[in-house]
Amino acid sequence: MQETLSAPLQDVQEDDRSLEFLQTMLRIRSFEERVYRMYLEQQTYGMSPHLSSGEEAMATGVCSVLRKDDYLLGTHRSHGHILAKGAQMRPMLAELCGKVTGYCRGRGGTMHIADFSLGIVGANGIVGGGIPIASGVGLSIKYRGTDQVCVCFFGDAASNIGAFHEAVNFASAFKLPVVFVCENNVYGLSTDYSRVSATPNVADRAKGYGIPGVIVDGMDVFAVYEAAKAAVDHARTGKGPTILEGKTYRYYGHSSSDQRPYRTKEEEEQWRSRDPILSFKKKLVEAGKLTDEQFNKLEADAMAEAEDAVQFALSSPEPDPVTLLDYIYC
Ligand SMILES: Cc1ncc(C[n+]2csc(CCOP(=O)(O)OP(=O)(O)O)c2C)c(N)n1
Ligand SMILES: [Mg+2]
């Protein structure tokens, strides 16, 4: 199945990455829709999954410009980031189910998936916890003299923690190769960003650190790709960090158990009408680069891949209780 999924469709030029973007967004959407069903059926363990449906263009556009040896720091809402950086659905879902075949052998769950071989340093349950780690990774890159880049995703609410200031200031002062990517999805839990923040945009703060601050339509995968490419090139060529802010929206509640009483159906519908997958599909169809049949095949492939991962996770063994204390000390 992997071969079919990664094979380019016949009539698309080699340098056109449109279908790859569509495929990545569909894979993220399918994975999370399936995770939500598993959560409702009580097949996942630990924290309820925090889904990014609606935000797929951010993970896809940003990670599409990263190399395998570049680094990624995530958040509590990182399934999309991790998939876009190259992770496989099978060990991801097994991790969510607490199975020994999971990325962290079932110890990490939804919020703590890491795979150093893919540069995925880790997702993080501490809001903003990845931001100072990213500056540390940037310092390590500079110290080792490589041309790698570290990308750190965080939410709008995370930009209001103290460590954000320290980490961005430090990265700027030492010109570290870090891109700080804010997924501004309007809310931190039930709190509207504008109610608790001194500036209307997170990227406005870049001025205070003497670095570029870029705002992009986070529902437009191509716009995100272009902005991320510029920010990553800037970092890779020794010019230092950027704050890249995408305006986006999560369709589900904060976590799978949140019924979203703090926002209106009209607001949700307005954002859904700009769905990153459907609007990108429309553009491609209008440009003659995609047919409905091709789209349906990509969607069916993504759903089949997610279903295959579910079966893999459910049929995998639990960790042996005698290994409970393994991996705690090294
Ligand atoms: C340090 C810390 N404070 C509070 C929490 C509880 N908490 C979890 S997610 C969240 C909101 C995060 O909002 P944002 O950064 O905008 O990310 P989003 O959930 O919107 O993706 C809060 C307050 C936490 N996990 N860690
Ligand atoms: Mg938010």
Side-chain angles (χ1 to χ4, degrees):
M1 189 170 63
Q2 287 302 348
E3 265 174 31
T4 326
L5 282 168
S6 57
L9 296 178
Q10 283 160 353
D11 55 352
V12 171
Q13 292 166 358
E14 236 170 78
D15 60 348
D16 186 340
R17 300 183 64 188
S18 303
L19 291 186
E20 177 196 323
F21 294 170
L22 197 54
Q23 185 181 53
T24 303
M25 291 196 290
L26 282 166
R27 288 180 72 233
I28 297 170
R29 179 75 55 93
S30 303
F31 180 84
E32 292 204 306
E33 297 290 336
R34 200 60 188 81
V35 164
Y36 185 57
R37 257 172 60 207
M38 290 186 88
Y39 163 77
L40 294 178
E41 289 161 9
Q42 299 184 344
Q43 286 171 325
T44 58
Y45 285 90
M47 286 296 292
S48 79
H50 291 54
L51 306 176
S52 70
S53 294
E55 303 182 3
E56 293 90 347
M58 288 298 298
T60 301
V62 170
C63 292
S64 71
V65 299
L66 297 182
R67 298 194 316 226
K68 190 178 174 187
D69 66 339
D70 288 331
Y71 296 101
L72 175 85
L73 268 299
T75 69
H76 52 286
R77 197 181 303 287
S78 265
H79 300 151
H81 310 144
I82 292 165
L83 278 169
K85 186 70 172 67
Q88 298 296 308
M89 287 191 195
R90 279 184 168 201
M92 277 182 72
L93 251 178
E95 187 59 38
L96 267 67
C97 294
K99 299 299 182 76
V100 74
T101 51
Y103 266 114
C104 303
R105 297 182 188 158
R107 265 98 167 149
T110 168
M111 285 189 194
H112 300 283
I113 296 175
D115 182 352
F116 287 1
S117 73
L118 295 170
I120 301 169
V121 183
N124 206 312
I126 306 297
V127 169
I131 304 173
I133 299 175
S135 290
V137 172
L139 184 63
S140 146
I141 294 170
K142 188 161 182 179
Y143 185 72
R144 287 180 287 116
T146 71
D147 70 344
Q148 291 159 291
V149 166
C150 178
V151 163
C152 173
F153 284 95
F154 57 97
D156 43 282
S159 71
N160 284 334
I161 69 162
F164 171 87
H165 166 73
E166 289 183 43
V168 182
N169 178 66
F170 185 82
S172 173
F174 291 91
K175 282 206 175 337
L176 303 180
V178 184
V179 181
F180 296 99
V181 180
C182 180
E183 291 177 314
N184 188 339
N185 60 9
V186 188
Y187 297 98
L189 269 166
S190 55
T191 303
D192 192 315
Y193 173 76
S194 65
R195 207 156 67 79
V196 292
S197 305
T199 57
N201 307 295
V202 175
D204 295 344
R205 303 180 193 182
K207 212 176 256 179
Y209 306 112
I211 59 174
V214 179
I215 299 173
V216 70
D217 178 0
M219 307 301 269
D220 179 343
V221 70
F222 204 73
V224 175
Y225 159 77
E226 299 249 277
K229 192 170 179 316
V232 167
D233 285 349
H234 188 80
R236 209 183 292 291
T237 50
K239 300 190 184 94
T242 297
I243 296 177
L244 173 59
E245 175 182 9
K247 305 289 190 185
T248 184
Y249 202 73
R250 58 167 159 74
Y251 293 163
Y252 285 97
H254 169 71
S255 66
S256 304
S257 54
D258 167 20
Q259 296 304 308
R260 323 185 298 280
Y262 47 85
R263 62 193 204 188
T264 63
K265 289 273 169 289
E266 289 72 32
E267 177 184 298
E268 294 188 351
E269 273 157 28
Q270 209 190 355
W271 280 95
R272 275 185 183 267
S273 72
R274 301 183 50 234
D275 183 79
I277 297 176
L278 296 181
S279 56
F280 194 55
K281 175 201 171 190
K282 188 163 174 274
K283 261 189 210 162
L284 293 181
V285 170
E286 282 170 4
K289 288 182 175 178
L290 178 77
T291 63
D292 282 331
E293 292 70 39
Q294 287 171 325
F295 179 82
N296 294 342
K297 170 149 177 26
L298 286 174
E299 189 173 44
D301 281 349
M303 283 160 60
E305 188 186 359
E307 199 53 49
D308 165 76
V310 172
Q311 298 316 319
F312 173 80
L314 292 179
S315 60
S316 289
E318 309 269 350
D320 187 334
V322 303
T323 67
L324 185 66
L325 298 179
D326 288 0
Y327 322 120
I328 292 176
Y329 299 105
C330 65

